[in-house]
Amino acid sequence: MTGMTKPRSWFLIASWIALVAALVVCLTLISKAGGGSPSWVVSLIVSWLPFIALIGVWIWLSRRSWRGSSGASWVDLCEQQVVESQRTNALLERIAAALEKHSPG
């Protein structure tokens, strides 16, 4: 399952890099065509772009950390733990019933 996520994540990273590069090229062309100072839209995008990129990277990393080393999400791991606990409880109940059946008295 990990093999499926790696190409997808590389594709997303390459897409983001291409998008940012295209945005920088467009903003450069717009600011050069205007002559003097860049328009307020260009300055707004340039000033907020690092913050938006930082938030995007933070969300991407936090989503990656929700998965364990095996590729299963924390919810899947907790569900597996519940199933294993139920199986253990059933076995312990069988052992207790067998001991009560064989105990003297």
Side-chain angles (χ1 to χ4, degrees):
M1 186 168 245
T2 343
M4 295 296 288
T5 58
K6 290 211 182 247
R8 182 174 173 240
S9 63
W10 281 110
F11 175 74
L12 290 175
I13 292 170
S15 298
W16 273 106
I17 291 172
L19 181 66
V20 169
L23 186 63
V24 168
V25 167
C26 288
L27 293 176
T28 305
L29 293 176
I30 289 172
S31 66
K32 284 186 179 180
S37 64
S39 68
W40 66 273
V41 175
V42 173
S43 62
L44 180 73
I45 291 173
V46 168
S47 63
W48 279 96
L49 187 63
F51 297 112
I52 293 171
L54 182 65
I55 290 171
V57 167
W58 177 58
I59 290 172
W60 180 69
L61 287 175
S62 66
R63 289 193 60 161
R64 283 190 57 174
S65 69
W66 287 350
R67 298 210 170 268
S69 61
S70 65
S73 69
W74 286 103
V75 174
D76 294 337
L77 294 175
C78 288
E79 288 175 353
Q80 290 174 2
Q81 183 66 36
V82 167
V83 169
E84 185 64 27
S85 296
Q86 290 172 345
R87 190 180 71 81
T88 304
N89 287 343
L91 289 174
L92 289 174
E93 287 175 4
R94 285 179 53 195
I95 292 171
L99 289 175
E100 286 176 357
K101 188 168 135 180
H102 293 299
S103 66

